[in-house]
Amino acid sequence: MARRRRDFYEVLGVGKDADDAEIKRAFRELARKYHPDLNPGGAETFKEINEAYAVLSDAQTRARYDRWGPDGEGRGGVGSVVDAVEEVLGDVLRRRKKKQRGRDLRYTLEVTFEEAAFGCTRTITVPGVVPAARDGAAAGPSREFSVVIPPATREGAIKMLRGEGEPGQGGAPAGDLHVIVRVKDHPLFRREGHDVLCDVPLTMPQAALGAVLEVPTIDGPVKMRIPEGTQTGRVFRIRGRGVPRSAGKNAPRGDQLVKVVVRTPGELTPRQRELFEELARALGEVVPRKDDRKAGGILDRMRSLLD
């Protein structure tokens, strides 16, 4: 049983008095919406749109359609035009099925903290892949690429090399190569935006009396003055020693934030203990007696009385 076609004006969404420009505009909008490359489920609708436009875009076939309607001519006139459209569209769809875009490839590139901060150029070697080897049975020759890592690159950044992925099939384009940047952890530095953070140990005398420390930065060590009476956890700022905000030798940079951590000494020599006790008395603190320090101190003595 022959398929009954919808009214072609209704298909394109125009009135029967529409001029050529209006018909053409309606066809383009619908074709973009239902083209199989953009809308895999729109193949049938796309075919119907082409049928309607093939007839209404030609003055002679449109006149015959207006007189006889979509099913009034048999195999001649409108029918022959529709058959031609179906044949062309079918051929396009068949060729499209044979074509297959190459798959995208992924490569993880590991860089140092400093390379990510200042930028670098790295050469990577990517194993070759041919379409017939998707099961891993064979591979093409390896390829080398020069990858530019810009300043201030973050962990997980992706550099895309277009067309350098797996080759396509049937004349389809190749996939892309996605280079994923992994930044190695640094033993001293952390990053917060364009600022670099680090912890610097400080002895109790340095914290109390002040000191000049040699502080590490991503440019190398620098001198930093610590004022007397510095408390643990205080943060100092060294301006312009952070991550560059853009490429270029004179590009503005973030800062380095230095957090000082006051270290408490562990085991003390008798002389060191004596000096600490003297300091404690001078500060008005209570110095524990020797008996309280034995066998765990006063708490152990209290527990023994309760037993």
Side-chain angles (χ1 to χ4, degrees), residues 17 24 29 51 98 100 111 136 142 144 151 164 183 197 211 232 251 281 298:
D17 57 346
K24 186 175 183 179
E29 292 177 358
E51 292 176 357
K98 293 179 181 178
Q100 188 169 0
V111 299
S142 298
E144 285 193 349
E164 299 297 349
V183 181
L197 287 68
T232 188
R281 293 189 188 95
I298 186 83

Side-chain angles (χ1 to χ4, degrees), residues 67-148:
R67 180 177 180 183
W68 298 104
D71 300 307
E73 289 191 303
R75 297 302 299 170
V78 174
S80 61
V81 174
V82 170
D83 288 342
V85 173
E86 287 182 344
E87 182 180 349
V88 171
L89 182 60
D91 182 60
V92 170
L93 294 176
R94 282 192 298 273
R95 285 186 297 168
R96 181 173 174 268
K97 288 180 179 178
K98 293 179 181 178
K99 292 184 178 182
Q100 188 169 0
R101 179 183 180 274
R103 293 186 301 184
D104 292 343
L105 300 179
R106 294 163 59 94
Y107 184 96
T108 300
L109 174 60
E110 190 174 63
V111 299
T112 65
F113 187 93
E114 290 83 357
E115 286 174 330
F118 293 115
C120 64
T121 300
R122 296 284 296 273
T123 299
I124 64 174
T125 301
V126 179
V129 179
V130 295
R134 293 190 173 184
D135 57 357
S142 298
R143 298 170 296 159
E144 285 193 349
F145 299 96
S146 182
V147 180
V148 177

Side-chain angles (χ1 to χ4, degrees), residues 228-243:
E228 63 180 46
T230 294
Q231 304 298 312
T232 188
R234 182 172 174 180
V235 177
F236 295 88
R237 183 181 298 270
I238 304 178
R239 298 194 178 277
R241 294 287 183 169
V243 176

